[in-house]
Amino acid sequence: MNLKQVIVLVINVLYSVVSLGQDKFTISGYIKEASSGEAMIGAAVYVSELQKGSIANQYGFYSITLPAGEYNIRYSFIGFNDHNEKVNLDKDIRLNVELSEDALEIEEVVIEGEKSKNTEGTQMGTVKLKMASVRKIPAFLGEVDIMKTIQFLPGVSSAGEGNTGFYVRGGGPDQNLILLDEATVYNASHLFGFFSVFNGDAVKDVKLIKGGMPANYGGRLASVLDITMKEGNNKEYHAQGGIGVISSRLTFEGPIVKNKSSFILTGRRTYIDVLTKPFISETNEFYGSGYYFYDFNAKVNWQLSDKDRLYLSGYFGRDVFSYNNAKSNFKVNIPWGNATGSLRWNHLFGDKLFLNTTLVYSEYDFEFGAQFSQFESKLKSGIRDWNLKADFNYFPSVRHTVKFGVQGIQHKFTPSSMSAKSGDTEFDAGEIQHVYGNEFGIYALDEWDITERIKINGGFRLSIFQHIGPFTRFIKNDKDQTTSEIKYDPLKPIKTYIGPEPRISARFKVDKQSSLKLGVTHNYQFVHLSTLDGVSLPTDVWFPSTDKVKPQIGTQYALGYFRNFKEETYESSVEIYYKDLQNLIEYKEGSQPSDNINDNVDNYLTFGTGYSYGAEFFFKKRLGDLTGWVGYTWSKTFRKFPEINEGREFSAKFDRRHDLSVIATYDLTKRWSFGAAFVYATGSSLTLPIARYYFENNIITEFGDRNWFRMPAYHRADISVTYNGKEYTTVVDPDTGKETKKKKRFVHGFNFSIYNVYNRANPYFIYLEDEGNLTQGTLDLAAFQVSLFPILPSITWNFKF
């Protein structure tokens, strides 16, 4: 008996009790877009007679097992026409379905909205974003940005003005798992955080899980942002792009073999450096300075057979900042970026068992290079992963959806390394310190409709992390001096951590329109990120759990009430949560990247605890010409470190008491739409001096408690107008006079947006400056606010053909 037969046999035995005493058969297949052949993630499959259904998985596959009989099956997805099939189920049936797009443009069909899943599922704090809706929301400098859009959701806080970084329910930025086609993205921003690395033209699906993440996700404590790239049109060739204020983009897609395989290529680049270069003469002391970023996405897929599909996707992006002062003979060059690659194989074991096997490569690296006259120095840091995993979906009955799988990741960390030379003389900065670790996970979960009212998602994940050699441990004494070292051979285990992670969420339907949900999750995190104080560059350092650094542990409890109104036109929810965090990490005060010369990064860390609690309110209008949402969060987030703030509890720097977002889009006609956004948030916390005085010929600055000061509140409003060109033209048959609609070969449109409409001077940072005269006794310390973005209009021309 081979492995495939063993797997199928074991699973069928486990669930054989479900089908005892009755004949059951399975309807399964793939749901795709009729126009492009793209898989439809989350498309609904509904059995009218049983008032039950299922949804397509990440690859568009669905499977429903039912008793023998006749059924009316409805396939639906918002923005697409429903597809209905009458099925006489007396044997297993493979039924692949294609859904055609909303025909409102042709005015022949009235589309019925997709059924809301707000009150149906067990997961809390889960939001799916449709790119068509994201494009209507006002965008910073015209750049459609997924990362900024999720900041409008309750429970998600922005890292600052214009920044794509985000915090979820009191968690740090490293506690968010960001995936692009299942590859981890360690730094998801361009331009020092002002733009994300995700080109909207390459993205098909976006899912944010900020509540109880299911057991198939691991390695992070706060949230999962799961982004799926488009597969490419397998029916015909198309191109689209746009030219904006700061960058341009171009996408090309089409079939390799029609209806069987396809590709998509997407590129984007800023051009401020190109536009300004002609205006800076070679004699200018800043000639050679500049900044630009670029990114490139590629994906190909191939249907090998009805049971096998292959996907290969990749991302490569870089930021390059350079500064050149010829007068002082000083140069700085700072490149950084991500590279990912995913190879996936889908296979069907019969009609109920779906396998996805994935091989992933992920890398992030940062480099800071400086040259002053003959002296040169470089600072490097980064992380590189190889990841192999197998994920199974099993559909034993209409009441059960089972997922299980295994995963292994090989990490290579370069926390930071220094090199320096003067002319031909190189300085000994010690060996580059790499740190290696292996991470393993095995999980299983079952989403089970126990009764019509009660549904649970119970899962368990076992995570294992092993810090391995080669590694050099530098031993330090009480005076912080290195006294000895221990060398570990390659692959030698140094420290092993085992993390059991139970996950459970449940839904109780109060009535047809409302439900109660609860969730408890326990997570381990073995990779960590810490920001170096006083360094304003993206030198955040990733490093693993070691013999000194324990894994972070998070436990979250959540309870929510969900209700729909007016035939599911409106959705609403109220969620409350409490989160406990252990083994949090910060750098000790005064640490710098160069401290790692012949040393270990974890010798400069301090460890603590934290907790967060809050309430989230969400109201959304999902259907009609006017759509949008209002989200409000009230929360508190605290940290406690024995070596920080004299061991006293303090507010986290991203603690926000109030966070309000209002989003609205209005389709005036089929081609004109308007968008508006308003945000308000309590100001960020920071540490400022509380007194300054003169003592024994020295100026003494006395600081208050950690993060005692609050910046002024952040708020702004944005608006946008989008014009979409007419996609269809009327063609008249010369013989019959009959009019038909024909799709145009070239379509274009414009997006005009205004960021910060009322020109709010929001605080970006605060700096201190002396005022007065020491000898006259008038010396004082003044604080000044720096604001970054005033009112900013932008226009983008979009096209497709």
Side-chain angles (χ1 to χ4, degrees):
M1 183 177 288
N2 59 35
L3 178 61
K4 171 182 172 180
Q5 292 170 324
V6 171
I7 292 172
V8 175
L9 176 62
V10 170
I11 296 174
N12 280 323
V13 168
L14 289 174
Y15 277 93
S16 60
V17 68
V18 177
S19 57
L20 285 176
Q22 54 183 318
D23 292 330
K24 289 194 173 185
F25 300 100
T26 301
I27 308 171
S28 63
Y30 289 87
I31 307 175
K32 297 183 177 183
E33 294 183 25
S35 61
S36 66
E38 289 267 3
M40 303 191 73
I41 303 171
V45 185
Y46 186 72
V47 184
S48 302
E49 287 76 9
L50 301 180
Q51 295 187 348
K52 290 189 173 297
S54 180
I55 61 172
N57 70 6
Q58 189 176 355
Y59 300 93
F61 178 77
Y62 75 96
S63 177
I64 300 180
T65 299
L66 304 168
E70 290 190 356
Y71 298 98
N72 289 289
I73 312 293
R74 185 179 71 189
Y75 301 84
S76 63
F77 194 87
I78 193 165
F80 286 75
N81 300 312
D82 288 357
H83 179 90
N84 296 285
E85 287 279 351
K86 190 169 184 177
V87 175
N88 182 15
L89 194 60
D90 56 3
K91 60 181 179 180
D92 292 339
I93 297 175
R94 178 63 55 82
L95 186 57
N96 297 327
V97 173
E98 292 188 341
L99 301 184
S100 58
E101 287 186 72
D102 177 330
L104 287 174
E105 177 74 41
I106 313 177
E107 298 180 346
E108 291 178 349
V109 181
V110 177
I111 303 300
E112 180 182 349
E114 182 189 9
K115 182 179 175 64
S116 169
K117 301 179 181 67
N118 184 47
T119 62
E120 297 296 322
T122 58
Q123 283 188 317
M124 303 172 62
T126 300
V127 180
K128 292 191 68 173
L129 297 175
K130 301 185 183 302
M131 289 308 300
S133 300
V134 172
R135 290 186 179 94
K136 296 179 182 178
I137 297 173
F140 176 63
L141 292 178
E143 287 292 313
V144 174
D145 200 317
I146 296 167
M147 305 290 283
K148 287 191 173 64
T149 301
I150 66 172
Q151 294 172 8
F152 291 130
L153 299 171
V156 183
S157 300
S158 166
E161 170 78 288
N163 205 297
T164 61
F166 65 101
Y167 306 95
V168 177
R169 292 185 172 179
D174 64 325
Q175 295 175 3
N176 303 311
L177 178 62
I178 302 175
L179 301 173
L180 178 64
D181 270 2
E182 304 191 47
T184 302
V185 178
Y186 283 98
N187 187 315
S189 65
H190 284 305
L191 190 56
F192 303 99
F194 294 114
F195 297 98
S196 81
V197 300
F198 304 114
N199 184 340
D201 288 347
V203 173
K204 176 169 66 175
D205 186 76
V206 180
K207 180 170 68 173
L208 174 69
I209 304 173
K210 55 189 175 73
M213 66 178 73
N216 53 309
Y217 293 105
R220 298 295 187 275
L221 304 185
S223 74
V224 178
L225 181 62
D226 196 348
I227 299 171
T228 303
M229 287 175 55
K230 292 179 180 177
E231 297 168 8
N233 195 310
N234 67 11
K235 298 180 182 294
E236 54 188 12
Y237 295 101
H238 285 285
Q240 68 178 62
I243 299 175
V245 173
I246 194 170
S247 70
S248 291
R249 64 191 194 279
L250 181 64
T251 299
F252 186 56
E253 60 180 325
I256 300 173
V257 177
K258 192 171 183 179
N259 295 319
K260 191 172 184 178
S261 63
S262 62
F263 72 92
I264 183 169
L265 305 172
T266 302
R268 178 176 59 163
R269 192 194 191 279
T270 57
Y271 37 64
I272 294 176
D273 60 317
V274 177
L275 296 177
T276 57
K277 187 174 182 179
F279 301 99
I280 302 176
S281 67
E282 294 186 17
T283 58
N284 189 295
E285 61 183 282
F286 297 107
Y287 180 80
S289 300
Y291 168 82
Y292 64 92
F293 73 75
Y294 63 89
D295 47 40
F296 178 75
N297 298 79
K299 187 172 184 177
V300 295
N301 68 91
W302 198 287
Q303 181 178 335
L304 303 176
S305 68
D306 190 47
K307 292 187 176 183
D308 296 278
R309 285 167 169 78
L310 201 63
Y311 303 84
L312 176 63
S313 59
Y315 166 86
F316 184 83
R318 279 290 179 272
D319 290 65
V320 179
F321 173 78
S322 58
Y323 173 78
N324 182 27
N325 190 320
K327 186 176 181 180
S328 59
N329 199 19
F330 178 66
K331 296 179 181 180
V332 172
N333 188 54
I334 311 174
W336 72 94
N338 299 273
T340 69
S342 302
L343 176 62
R344 291 173 289 174
W345 168 54
N346 291 174
H347 180 71
L348 292 178
F349 295 91
D351 299 309
K352 298 181 182 181
L353 184 60
F354 178 93
L355 165 66
N356 176 57
T357 303
T358 307
L359 175 65
V360 173
Y361 174 83
S362 180
E363 181 182 36
Y364 168 71
D365 61 83
F366 167 84
E367 182 178 319
F368 177 90
Q371 179 180 344
F372 180 69
S373 188
Q374 295 294 313
F375 181 79
E376 296 181 32
S377 65
K378 284 186 178 181
L379 167 68
K380 294 182 179 181
S381 67
I383 179 172
R384 187 219 64 199
D385 289 349
W386 283 101
N387 181 355
L388 179 62
K389 65 175 188 168
D391 299 289
F392 294 85
N393 291 177
Y394 181 57
F395 309 89
S397 73
V398 73
R399 289 187 177 273
H400 289 273
T401 299
V402 179
K403 296 181 181 180
F404 61 96
V406 294
Q407 180 182 30
I409 306 174
Q410 195 271 333
H411 298 286
K412 178 184 177 182
F413 300 83
T414 306
S416 61
S417 64
M418 289 284 294
S419 63
K421 69 176 184 178
S422 180
D424 295 330
T425 304
E426 294 191 4
F427 298 95
D428 183 13
E431 296 180 0
I432 296 176
Q433 296 296 316
H434 297 301
V435 186
Y436 298 87
N438 292 329
E439 186 174 350
F440 306 95
I442 181 170
Y443 72 89
L445 67 90
D446 183 10
E447 189 163 73
W448 179 21
D449 275 298
I450 299 176
T451 68
E452 299 301 319
R453 289 179 178 268
I454 301 174
K455 186 176 188 177
I456 65 169
N457 186 317
F460 183 82
R461 185 181 185 94
L462 183 65
S463 296
I464 302 171
F465 185 87
Q466 196 171 58
H467 176 208
I468 62 173
F471 180 70
T472 302
R473 166 59 67 194
F474 295 93
I475 310 299
K476 310 190 65 89
N477 60 19
D478 294 338
K479 296 181 180 180
D480 207 29
Q481 298 171 329
T482 300
T483 58
S484 61
E485 61 183 50
I486 302 173
K487 289 186 177 290
Y488 295 91
D489 294 331
L491 302 179
K492 181 178 178 59
I494 301 170
K495 183 67 176 179
T496 301
Y497 294 98
I498 299 175
E501 303 180 39
R503 319 273 180 88
I504 187 168
S505 56
R507 179 222 69 201
F508 174 77
K509 291 204 74 172
V510 178
D511 53 42
K512 289 185 178 181
Q513 296 297 320
S514 60
S515 63
L516 285 169
K517 300 182 186 182
L518 61 88
V520 179
T521 59
H522 187 69
N523 298 49
Y524 280 72
Q525 180 169 328
F526 302 103
V527 297
H528 319 281
L529 179 74
S530 190
T531 302
L532 298 164
D533 291 335
V535 180
S536 58
L537 302 170
T539 52
D540 296 347
V541 176
W542 288 95
F543 50 90
S545 294
T546 64
D547 54 329
K548 283 193 172 186
V549 181
K550 296 179 180 179
Q552 298 180 64
I553 303 173
T555 306
Q556 180 176 261
Y557 310 88
L559 177 67
Y561 176 70
F562 298 76
R563 184 171 181 82
N564 297 339
F565 301 91
K566 200 176 179 181
E567 298 180 345
E568 301 184 338
T569 298
Y570 300 93
E571 295 178 352
S572 65
S573 64
V574 179
E575 296 184 45
I576 57 175
Y577 68 90
Y578 177 85
K579 182 185 292 185
D580 178 75
L581 300 169
Q582 302 292 322
N583 304 331
L584 299 180
I585 294 170
E586 290 284 353
Y587 267 98
K588 295 176 182 178
E589 294 182 0
S591 295
Q592 295 294 330
S594 58
D595 290 340
N596 293 325
I597 298 175
N598 287 326
D599 208 339
N600 305 122
V601 64
D602 53 10
N603 285 329
Y604 293 88
L605 301 177
T606 183
F607 310 97
T609 60
Y611 66 94
S612 178
Y613 58 90
E616 300 170 2
F617 303 84
F618 189 62
F619 185 82
K620 177 182 179 180
K621 185 176 185 294
R622 58 187 293 271
L623 299 175
D625 293 332
L626 176 65
T627 58
W629 68 80
V630 178
Y632 170 74
T633 304
W634 180 93
S635 64
K636 288 188 175 183
T637 302
F638 296 98
R639 297 288 187 261
K640 188 175 183 179
F641 287 77
E643 297 184 58
I644 297 177
N645 202 44
E646 298 181 349
R648 297 190 301 272
E649 185 177 275
F650 59 91
S651 295
K653 64 182 178 181
F654 43 85
D655 175 50
R656 303 280 194 276
R657 194 69 65 249
H658 306 282
D659 204 321
L660 172 70
S661 298
V662 182
I663 305 296
T665 61
Y666 178 66
D667 294 328
L668 179 64
T669 67
K670 301 179 185 69
R671 290 182 289 279
W672 286 96
S673 63
F674 298 84
F678 173 78
V679 294
Y680 173 92
T682 301
S684 300
S685 58
L686 70 159
T687 306
L688 290 180
I690 58 174
R692 202 171 200 196
Y693 50 88
Y694 187 70
F695 180 73
E696 295 183 354
N697 297 321
N698 292 308
I699 298 175
I700 306 299
T701 301
E702 183 178 341
F703 285 86
D705 284 350
R706 180 87 166 217
N707 294 337
W708 70 270
F709 181 80
R710 287 279 180 181
M711 287 188 181
Y714 179 95
H715 57 88
R716 73 168 202 276
D718 311 326
I719 59 173
S720 68
V721 179
T722 302
Y723 170 77
N724 296 311
K726 195 172 182 180
E727 292 193 29
Y728 293 88
T729 185
T730 302
V731 178
V732 180
D733 189 304
D735 298 323
T736 64
K738 183 180 178 180
E739 294 184 353
T740 58
K741 300 288 185 179
K742 183 179 179 181
K743 203 162 188 176
K744 297 175 68 175
R745 288 178 176 270
F746 182 83
V747 180
H748 69 103
F750 294 89
N751 175 272
F752 177 76
S753 63
I754 301 178
Y755 180 89
N756 196 6
V757 172
Y758 53 85
N759 201 31
R760 161 72 174 175
N762 284 303
Y764 185 59
F765 66 84
I766 290 176
Y767 69 96
L768 305 176
E769 195 170 276
D770 292 333
E771 288 188 340
N773 188 284
L774 177 63
T775 57
Q776 297 176 0
T778 60
L779 181 66
D780 196 10
L781 188 66
F784 296 90
Q785 173 183 305
V786 174
S787 298
L788 197 59
F789 297 119
I791 181 171
L792 288 175
S794 64
I795 187 169
T796 303
W797 176 57
N798 300 305
F799 58 87
K800 57 183 177 179
F801 56 90

